[in-house]
Amino acid sequence: MGSEMFGRREFLRAVGSAGLMAGIPAIAEASAIDPARVVHEIAEPTQEADAKPKYSIKFAVCGMSHDHIYGMVGAIQRGGGQLVAAYGAEPDKLSNFKKRFPDVKIVSSEEAILNDPSIQLVLSSTIPNERAPLGIRVMKRGKDYLSDKPGATTLEQIDQIRKTIAETKRIYGILYSERFEVKAAVKAGDLIKAGAIGRVIQTINIAPHQIVQHGADPYAGGAGGRPEWFWDPVRYGGILTDIGSHQVDQFLFYTGCTQAEVVASQVANVNHPQKPKFQDFGDMMLRGDKGFGYVRLDWFTPDGLGTWGDGRLFILGTDGYIEVRKYIDVARSKQGNNLYIVDKNQARYIDCNNVTLPFGPQFVADIVNRTHIAQDQTQCLLAAELVVRAQLKAQHVTLKS
């Protein structure tokens, strides 16, 4: 006890009265926070949460190179879709798919799905540079299509998608899951629509990812390691086209931009010399007719986080701002779907885990009714175009070691 007290006395003498006084304003400010101005809420599910799907369609999976296919199937099944057939070219992926869906009919070729008149919708997470050509074939056979992101890897592919949509009147959807399948992101959209933070003028997306995932989900994207195509930007599209597509979709959606351009972009391979074509870091700056956007992407999530990425979304409005901590509240809680909103009256934390995900039911309804409620077709493809342009424009940077 004596030595401990002596240490404290010496510390106080060393710091001096000026040092102690410097800390008082911060302490006083912290203690002056009015608890009444900080509100904790739990978002309620919508009335449709327990309702049976209004519509039913038959759909198939054609290509399952990325494990995002499981979330895609789940979304359509929640909307009333019946999975009737599946085709996969990679034996390991097909084996895992059969374990997850043991009752599905496995067919031996893509043609078996395209030639089946009962199938209304085709889902695919095939290798990224093969997704658009497949989607074009699907639409030309009179079916609608839902692609994993990225939905295209070249401008030529996007031109062909638009041309085929005009010719066939079919739907080409891209499941940007970081908005459609994240409950806090859905809640952010609802708040913005209600005018909670005024007019949105900027989004900032911080989107770290993890190459090999060690979480509990055996169907996570990198749980079983990464295939060869993952390392080749020609096949996966490059980091801006690939994981950046989620973020540009959010920029367009939350700001309401219908026109936008890439102001600047850059990519780098910082720490994977054994894979010289790979890009493990990238960022881009965007400017639209209604707002601004910044996106940072990387493959550096450490194992200590406990999940595949500490994804953050910051939305600046004229009357307030929103932060979404999508997958974890780092060092505080392993729970995701955390939303923070500040306006002129108060600061609020909203637990969004009870929010109902609308995409699946809305997309199935779009298939039946020939509408675009779940996803605006023009905005969907503008996001795909912008990330390809960002990739083409990107400066390739080499950092000194």
Side-chain angles (χ1 to χ4, degrees), residues 286-344:
L286 303 135
R287 180 169 57 233
D289 55 345
K290 294 184 178 180
F292 308 95
Y294 173 76
V295 174
R296 194 206 79 198
L297 312 155
D298 71 78
W299 288 100
F300 290 113
T301 295
D303 288 343
L305 182 66
T307 189
W308 59 268
D310 183 15
R312 303 284 184 101
L313 164 65
F314 302 87
I315 307 171
L316 176 63
T318 54
D319 299 326
Y321 63 89
I322 290 171
E323 179 188 350
V324 176
R325 303 179 188 179
K326 294 182 178 180
Y327 311 113
I328 193 168
D329 198 355
V330 63
R332 288 167 52 89
S333 170
K334 293 183 178 180
Q335 178 175 281
N337 289 304
N338 305 286
L339 187 148
Y340 299 83
I341 177 170
V342 181
D343 60 23
K344 61 184 178 181

Side-chain angles (χ1 to χ4, degrees), residues 46-75:
T46 63
Q47 294 181 350
E48 296 82 12
D50 297 324
K52 291 183 178 181
K54 187 174 181 180
Y55 300 101
S56 178
I57 63 168
K58 292 184 178 180
F59 74 98
V61 167
C62 191
M64 51 194 70
S65 302
H66 196 295
D67 290 338
H68 280 161
I69 196 65
Y70 297 104
M72 297 168 67
V73 170

Side-chain angles (χ1 to χ4, degrees), residues 67-144:
D67 290 338
H68 280 161
I69 196 65
Y70 297 104
M72 297 168 67
V73 170
I76 301 305
Q77 287 180 325
R78 289 196 305 272
Q82 179 187 355
L83 178 61
V84 297
Y87 167 72
E90 299 103 330
D92 58 331
K93 296 294 186 181
L94 185 59
S95 176
N96 287 337
F97 193 86
K98 289 167 66 176
K99 290 176 184 177
R100 183 74 170 261
F101 303 106
D103 298 328
V104 68
K105 177 183 177 182
I106 303 299
V107 299
S108 59
S109 69
E110 171 190 308
E111 286 298 313
I113 289 174
L114 298 184
N115 290 333
D116 186 338
S118 71
I119 294 171
Q120 298 161 267
L121 171 67
V122 176
L123 275 55
S124 183
S125 70
T126 190
I127 297 171
N129 68 331
E130 298 175 5
R131 292 171 188 169
L134 171 62
I136 289 167
R137 294 193 295 273
V138 167
M139 291 190 291
K140 288 184 175 180
R141 299 293 186 94
K143 307 178 191 302
D144 295 309

Side-chain angles (χ1 to χ4, degrees), residues 235-256:
R235 304 185 78 189
Y236 77 85
I239 191 170
L240 302 181
T241 296
D242 180 22
I243 54 179
S245 60
H246 286 296
Q247 324 312 327
V248 174
D249 163 73
Q250 290 168 78
F251 156 69
L252 293 175
F253 177 74
Y254 294 122
T255 62

Side-chain angles (χ1 to χ4, degrees), residues 19-33:
L20 287 175
M21 291 301 292
I24 289 176
I27 295 171
E29 183 178 354
S31 64
I33 293 175

Side-chain angles (χ1 to χ4, degrees), residues 136-165:
I136 289 167
R137 294 193 295 273
V138 167
M139 291 190 291
K140 288 184 175 180
R141 299 293 186 94
K143 307 178 191 302
D144 295 309
Y145 183 65
L146 180 61
S147 172
D148 185 15
K149 64 80 211 166
T153 57
T154 69
L155 295 177
E156 291 77 15
Q157 287 183 350
I158 295 168
D159 287 342
Q160 286 299 311
I161 291 168
R162 288 174 171 147
K163 180 181 177 182
T164 307
I165 290 171

